[in-house]
Amino acid sequence: MPAPNTTVRRSLLVTSATLLSLSVTAPAALAAPTPSTSPTATPPARMSTVGGARLGMPGTQVNLAPGVPVLPKDLTARSWIVSDAESGEVLAAHNAHWRLPPASTLKMLFADTVLPRFPRSAEHKVAASDLKGVGVGSSVVGIKEGATYSVHDLWLGVFLRSGNDAVHVLSQMNGGVEQTVQDMQDHAEELQALDTNVVSPDGYDAPGQVSSAYDLTLFARSGLQKKDFRDYCSTVSATFGSAEIRNTNRLLSGDTDVPVYQGIAGVKNGNTTHAGATFTGVAERNGKVLLVTVMNPEKHEHNEVYKETAKLFDWGFQAVGKVNAVGELVPPRSASSTAPQPGPSTSAAQDPGQAAGTGGPGSKPVASATAASGSGGVGIALAVAGGLLVLLGGGAFLVNRRWPLPDLMRRRARP
């Protein structure tokens, strides 16, 4: 199968900028309206405190003060977090360390772990054993036994269609599913994502497979340091074999009830029986880059996870620079000599109700979207105008000051 020959990207472009100082100590929370809960949607009383004590508290954590906008009142997600991707400041959070089934957002960890191991041009002929174990009801890109695919093909299948079949092929190339799961778990621990327990590399529901909004944000932030990760997660559409595939991230590709979000540049969505809808997104506006993760909205309207994410992005862009942080995104262990210790909930013990279920369907693509407008935020997006890609400019994406930047991240990208 030939490599995809048509792509449309909203690339997260990079340049150096002044790092902000960060304090993880903050005044007591001034609670925003708490999303509605049910008896089956109660967070544990004690959660991990990685990133700051307040992130281990149940409920909404935010420092309201004069000039700080009030959080949206109609948020229903069990867990969410809004953070500054550059400084690592957590602007606001709700049950940030609640260990919940992650669905296909776990593919961010898979990609961050495995993507650097194979060149894009490498090819692999698919054997029947490569597709063994793909869960019933999984989202797939349509990998065929006996066909040959480039690594580039396979990663587009992972990011655009959330293809569990593509994940399993890449896992077999990496030494098998069991080896890949172990590699992912090791990498999660290196990133200090201590709420995460990996059971399947694709995020398919499995007993005991959990992560958190905090950890998913760490995965996205780490992955976005890699150019290939940025390219794939920001690709709107591509030719895969004889068909066009579109990204199921509706803030990136749009849908009838969700417009393309201004400045969006990825990263990954998911949806399973036990996880509900999950999503982590990154967007830039006016020189600020924010990460938002939303897990399992209780309001079951079409595309609700994207609607709540967009509201949190809107709030974050209004609040950044005005609100005091309630915590921080920690750097990897290897980049920090003072790595935080696991909080009380980072052990294997957990509320049985928080573990993933037993074999529900894997993440499924959302219904086919209308054509994206191609509009994007100033400084980050590639716009489509007259069929041509138009570069709007260079954005900024930095990491915690204790996390050294690769040379690539210090240079302004060029058309």
Side-chain angles (χ1 to χ4, degrees):
M1 172 178 287
N5 55 25
T6 303
T7 57
V8 182
R9 295 188 179 90
R10 293 181 177 84
S11 299
L12 186 61
L13 306 177
V14 296
T15 187
S16 58
T18 303
L19 288 169
L20 302 176
S21 61
L22 173 65
S23 171
V24 297
T25 58
L30 295 174
T34 302
S36 62
T37 61
S38 69
T40 59
T42 303
R46 301 178 65 197
M47 294 178 282
S48 168
T49 57
V50 171
R54 291 182 61 187
L55 297 183
M57 298 178 183
T60 302
Q61 306 300 318
V62 63
N63 288 315
L64 296 181
V68 177
V70 176
L71 285 163
K73 296 181 180 181
D74 52 352
L75 301 173
T76 68
R78 292 186 178 189
S79 176
W80 54 259
I81 186 170
V82 182
S83 56
D84 186 321
E86 298 176 6
S87 68
E89 291 181 324
V90 176
L91 307 183
H94 181 76
N95 302 325
H97 280 291
W98 192 358
R99 304 179 80 201
L100 296 166
S104 285
T105 46
L106 194 64
K107 288 183 173 77
M108 294 187 295
L109 175 61
F110 170 74
D112 194 37
T113 303
V114 177
L115 196 153
R117 300 183 179 186
F118 305 104
R120 294 160 61 105
S121 59
E123 294 187 341
H124 179 79
K125 184 175 181 179
V126 176
S129 59
D130 294 340
L131 300 174
K132 183 179 179 181
V134 175
V136 176
S138 290
S139 56
V140 295
V141 71
I143 301 296
K144 303 297 183 184
E145 178 185 345
T148 298
Y149 300 85
S150 70
V151 166
H152 182 56
D153 290 336
L154 295 171
W155 282 117
L156 285 170
V158 170
F159 278 95
L160 273 68
R161 297 297 296 175
S162 204
N164 289 3
D165 49 355
V167 170
H168 277 254
V169 172
L170 286 162
S171 295
Q172 291 300 327
M173 293 173 64
N174 187 57
V177 169
E178 184 177 350
Q179 180 62 56
T180 300
V181 166
Q182 184 59 58
D183 291 346
M184 291 170 65
Q185 190 67 55
D186 291 344
H187 189 49
E189 292 172 7
E190 156 63 15
L191 295 177
Q192 302 196 66
L194 304 179
D195 298 324
T196 298
N197 184 54
V198 183
V199 178
S200 66
D202 50 23
Y204 187 88
D205 283 333
Q209 180 151 275
V210 290
S211 190
S212 66
Y214 184 88
D215 284 9
L216 294 175
T217 303
L218 292 183
F219 301 152
R221 195 175 187 225
S222 177
L224 289 165
Q225 309 311 303
K226 300 173 175 64
K227 182 181 184 301
D228 281 351
F229 187 105
R230 296 195 303 274
D231 286 347
Y232 288 126
C233 80
S234 62
T235 298
V236 177
S237 66
T239 300
F240 191 92
S242 59
E244 182 187 49
I245 57 173
R246 289 185 65 80
N247 202 313
T248 56
N249 169 0
R250 296 311 182 207
L251 291 189
L252 186 72
S253 61
D255 204 348
T256 54
D257 58 342
V258 176
V260 174
Y261 190 81
Q262 181 186 14
I264 194 70
V267 288
K268 192 69 190 75
N269 57 319
N271 196 331
T272 67
T273 297
H274 295 283
T278 60
F279 180 65
T280 297
V282 63
E284 186 268 355
R285 191 176 294 175
N286 298 325
K288 293 294 184 180
V289 183
L290 300 184
L291 283 161
V292 172
T293 295
V294 172
M295 300 187 76
N296 199 353
E298 292 193 341
K299 187 176 182 181
H300 297 299
E301 289 193 5
H302 186 241
N303 286 326
E304 181 64 22
V305 72
Y306 303 110
K307 295 172 183 176
E308 296 194 16
T309 298
K311 292 172 184 177
L312 287 169
F313 268 130
D314 288 345
W315 176 85
F317 285 121
Q318 295 175 38
V320 65
K322 302 174 184 176
V323 66
N324 289 326
V326 295
E328 68 166 336
L329 301 177
V330 294
R333 288 187 183 279
S334 59
S336 174
S337 59
T338 57
Q341 297 301 308
S345 74
T346 57
S347 65
Q350 62 177 355
D351 181 345
Q354 313 320 316
T358 55
S363 58
K364 301 175 181 177
V366 184
S368 178
T370 55
S373 66
S375 61
V378 175
I380 194 170
L382 289 176
V384 181
L388 299 176
L389 296 179
V390 180
L391 183 68
L392 297 183
F397 183 79
L398 297 179
V399 294
N400 191 288
R401 63 188 181 278
R402 292 173 290 172
W403 189 350
L405 297 173
D407 289 342
L408 174 65
M409 304 303 292
R410 297 182 182 277
R411 297 197 298 268
R412 177 179 291 273
R414 300 292 183 183

